Amino acid sequence: MALPGDLDAERATFAARLASATDLGAATRDKYRRNVGYFLAWLADAREAGALDGDPLTDATARDWAVRDWRRTLKNTRTRGGARLSAATINNRLAALDAFFALRGSGRPAVVREHLSRPSAPRALDQRTLLRFLRTVARDASVRDRVICHPAYYAGLRIAGIVALDVADLRASARKGTVRVRGKGRLGGKDRTVPLHAEIRSSLELLLDDLGRPGAGPLVRNYDGGRLSTRAAAAAVTALGAAAGVGPSDDGEVFGPHVLRRTFGTDLVRGRGEPAREPVDLVTVAELMGHADINTTRRYALPTEADKAAALEALTVDR
């Protein structure tokens, strides 16, 4: 987005500081850059309209007032689908501003966060919708895009982890295999080794044949042979979801690879699948998903709204 010269310089400096002075992952840094860009665009408009009480970039009190005004704007913002921004989304945007002002040496704004409702089960596809999506992938997806979709569901990999895979990370044969997955964060985080489901091995074999069996280099490549970007990979999954009739959730969350990762976690923790199996213990699922805190994994065991409704149907009725 176009910004006045001084604010564009602020955005560029913030991006550089994010990369050099934090241990945030590439996807998080990209999200922070975009959210700070939205704020700076709002700031430019407010400055033009004379709607600022002081200079937020030089005065701490004016900074707090401006961020509070922006939070009010966010609360009245609607998505393309007409839904309001969720409390979590607003808080994520405010977190980006915390980083922006902190890295400027200005201190974090004194702004109250939105109230979050009690934790609930993450969005996951039901079994019928998942099957429809997987069949669409089998029918319509390119070999490369299958290798984007399958590790998201069959291994629970983050999209950033999928596009970061190199050919050398694979150890696969016809009957078994593993892949080394890099941890989150600029400094690497904790790497882990994940076993490969048969569906992933099959997709990988086709892709490696398509690439001419290279000995090195990125696994998921763009048309120029370089590493595919996280955004392009996510867009491919979203497009296949649209083809399968999988769209945004009720609160406007777009379908993408992270929903597939959540479905992976949900299916293991809740014992879903074909055939239905016993639930997998949380420690194992946490290891597979790369969760540092097992409480993150525990969310997958929480009941959904459909679970609560089904539970009530089991009550005795005297008719």
Side-chain angles (χ1 to χ4, degrees):
M1 62 193 77
L3 293 172
D6 62 326
L7 298 184
D8 195 42
E10 289 282 351
R11 177 172 57 182
T13 300
F14 174 64
R17 287 171 177 162
L18 270 181
S20 64
T22 73
D23 190 27
L24 298 173
T28 302
R29 293 199 308 270
D30 182 58
K31 185 186 300 182
Y32 275 26
R33 284 193 300 267
R34 282 186 283 113
N35 286 336
V36 166
Y38 296 146
F39 171 73
L40 292 175
W42 173 88
L43 190 62
D45 290 341
R47 188 168 66 181
E48 177 90 11
L52 295 176
D53 297 310
D55 185 353
L57 301 180
T58 60
D59 180 78
T61 303
R63 173 204 64 201
D64 294 349
W65 288 340
V67 177
R68 291 170 192 173
D69 287 344
W70 190 55
R71 179 171 65 92
R72 292 187 186 94
T73 299
L74 293 176
K75 288 169 68 71
N76 291 310
T77 298
R78 293 186 178 271
T79 66
R80 292 178 181 176
R84 292 186 183 276
L85 297 182
S86 68
T89 296
I90 293 173
N91 287 347
N92 285 336
R93 296 193 179 187
L94 293 174
L97 292 194
D98 281 351
F100 171 69
F101 283 106
L103 289 173
R104 292 184 82 254
S106 306
R108 289 181 169 83
V111 178
V112 175
R113 292 296 195 264
E114 293 298 298
H115 174 72
L116 297 175
S117 57
R118 294 182 62 186
S120 58
R123 180 193 180 190
L125 301 182
D126 62 67
Q127 295 297 284
R128 182 61 199 167
T129 304
L130 173 65
L131 185 60
R132 190 169 69 246
F133 174 78
L134 293 174
R135 287 173 175 173
T136 300
V137 170
R139 183 190 64 211
D140 299 338
S142 65
V143 172
R144 185 200 68 183
D145 289 354
R146 288 187 198 177
V147 174
I148 296 172
C149 294
H150 282 171
Y153 173 65
Y154 289 112
L157 300 192
R158 298 177 178 90
I159 192 64
I162 295 172
V163 299
L165 292 175
D166 290 326
V167 173
D169 294 325
L170 303 176
R171 296 288 184 273
S173 66
R175 299 182 64 85
K176 61 182 180 179
T178 61
V179 63
R180 181 173 70 91
V181 181
R182 292 169 180 78
K184 290 177 66 177
R186 184 176 59 86
L187 300 181
K190 180 184 176 182
D191 289 359
R192 68 189 191 278
T193 299
V194 177
L196 292 176
H197 189 280
E199 290 294 319
I200 302 177
R201 296 199 305 272
S202 176
S203 298
L204 287 172
E205 287 297 312
L206 292 174
L207 180 61
L208 291 173
D209 285 342
D210 204 44
L211 295 175
R213 293 281 166 176
L219 181 65
V220 182
R221 305 182 180 188
N222 58 29
Y223 293 116
D224 296 324
R227 193 178 304 279
L228 190 68
S229 71
T230 302
R231 185 173 297 180
V237 178
T238 300
L240 286 164
V246 185
S249 61
D250 291 341
D251 64 1
E253 179 191 16
V254 175
F255 170 74
H258 210 63
V259 177
L260 294 177
R261 171 176 158 84
R262 291 169 178 169
T263 305
F264 167 85
T266 299
D267 283 1
L268 293 181
V269 169
R270 298 171 71 84
R272 303 194 317 187
E274 181 58 47
R277 299 179 180 275
E278 290 296 314
V280 178
D281 68 273
L282 291 178
V283 174
T284 299
V285 179
E287 284 292 317
L288 288 170
M289 300 188 74
H291 287 161
D293 184 352
I294 200 169
N295 286 317
T296 305
T297 318
R298 189 171 282 112
R299 283 190 61 203
Y300 290 84
L302 293 174
T304 65
E305 292 304 315
D307 294 329
K308 296 173 187 177
L312 296 180
E313 293 299 320
L315 295 172
T316 300
V317 177
D318 182 17
R319 290 179 178 169

